[in-house]
Amino acid sequence: MSDYNYDEFSTGDYDLDNFRGPRVGQKAPDFELQDVNGAARRLLDFDGEFLVLELGSITCPLFQGRRKSMGSLKQHFPNVDFAILYVREAHPGKSIGAHKSYAEKQTVAQRLRTEDGEQRTILVDDIEGTAHSAFGGYPNAVFIINKKGCVVFNADWNNPEATAKALKLLLKGKPANVKSYFKPVPPPMVARTMGRSGKGSFLDFLKGLPVLIWKNLIRRNFLLLINRRPAIGPDADC
């Protein structure tokens, strides 16, 4: 097994300067995955006008902090499909550690449904993170994909407000020229998520916090501010 499923979080596990996921206008990678019940599901086999795919894990404070807002989006856009790609644990600890097997990963992912009440489709990536890597490897990226499998909106860090604006534009037949700024989650959410993960996770997070603030909250948002956001039509074929 590779070191993909790290035991301790480090900012060095992520290329925070270059997001390598599929860009707007590119084909979204497709995979045969399993949901939390073990049923086979094709990632790009969806019925809605678009698929909103969010990457996440139970130990990611950003993902956990967005879940309520993303659940509201699911209710407000009934003609759109929403799915979660369950990836490696962002902040493993003593209670919820790095995945040692696919069965373990699926069991932890299932807790999103049974304990957290998550209603979106949860697709579990393989133990080596093949789909996660193909979608850029970040812990909480989001992609909107059209029926032709084309990425029509993406954000390396999900911002539900921006995702909602993008969906509204796309459903009106317009390009989703929306800038998705990085927003941290409240400290209590961080504390709850780390507490659930267990001993070690919070200390690892604190060690990386200065880098996270600089590269995500400051540098990334500034570059997003001064640069144009690529956008294509909702029915684009790539």
Side-chain angles (χ1 to χ4, degrees):
M1 186 181 300
S2 71
D3 57 358
Y4 166 74
N5 297 288
Y6 51 74
D7 291 309
E8 300 176 355
F9 166 77
S10 168
T11 55
D13 291 305
Y14 299 91
D15 184 356
L16 297 176
D17 295 315
N18 301 288
F19 180 61
R20 304 184 185 281
R23 303 289 179 180
V24 170
Q26 292 183 338
K27 197 81 170 179
D30 197 8
F31 293 93
E32 187 76 31
L33 301 169
Q34 289 185 16
D35 64 19
V36 290
N37 297 316
R41 297 286 296 267
R42 198 76 194 175
L43 179 61
L44 296 186
D45 184 11
F46 59 94
D47 298 322
E49 293 190 44
F50 299 97
L51 170 67
V52 178
L53 179 68
E54 184 184 16
L55 278 57
S57 67
I58 207 167
T59 61
C60 177
L62 291 172
F63 170 73
Q64 291 284 27
R66 318 295 193 215
R67 284 200 314 105
K68 183 177 180 180
S69 295
M70 294 302 289
S72 295
L73 290 190
K74 185 178 186 298
Q75 298 300 317
H76 282 96
F77 297 97
N79 55 338
V80 173
D81 281 19
F82 288 80
I84 296 165
L85 176 64
Y86 199 93
V87 299
R88 65 184 171 190
E89 298 304 330
H91 295 281
K94 187 175 182 180
S95 299
I96 303 178
H99 306 135
K100 304 302 181 185
S101 67
Y102 182 78
E104 179 184 315
K105 185 172 187 174
Q106 192 175 54
T107 298
V108 177
Q110 195 171 44
R111 293 174 64 180
L112 279 178
R113 177 86 74 224
T114 58
E115 296 178 14
D116 296 348
E118 179 60 59
Q119 295 301 306
R120 286 173 289 170
T121 299
I122 304 170
L123 304 174
V124 186
D125 194 10
D126 65 25
I127 192 66
E128 296 291 350
T130 304
H132 187 199
S133 297
F135 277 94
Y138 274 30
N140 189 222
V142 66
F143 302 85
I144 301 180
I145 303 165
N146 69 13
K147 293 294 288 183
K148 298 176 182 177
C150 186
V151 175
V152 291
F153 174 82
N154 73 349
D156 42 5
W157 300 102
N158 185 22
N159 177 332
E161 293 179 4
T163 303
K165 290 178 181 178
L167 274 176
K168 289 177 182 177
L169 287 169
L170 291 166
L171 289 168
K172 290 179 180 178
K174 300 178 180 179
N177 55 344
V178 178
K179 292 185 177 183
S180 183
Y181 291 100
F182 175 86
K183 290 185 177 181
V185 295
M189 175 58 69
V190 176
R192 285 197 298 272
T193 305
M194 299 300 182
R196 189 183 195 183
S197 182
K199 185 178 180 180
S201 59
F202 192 63
L203 180 59
D204 295 338
F205 171 75
L206 288 178
K207 289 178 181 177
L209 190 57
V211 174
L212 295 174
I213 291 173
W214 164 246
K215 293 200 172 185
N216 294 335
L217 187 60
I218 300 174
R219 181 180 180 274
R220 176 195 178 276
N221 282 354
F222 176 72
L223 292 175
L224 188 61
L225 176 67
I226 64 175
N227 290 307
R228 292 189 63 183
R229 182 81 168 97
I232 60 172
D235 295 323
D237 192 349
C238 53

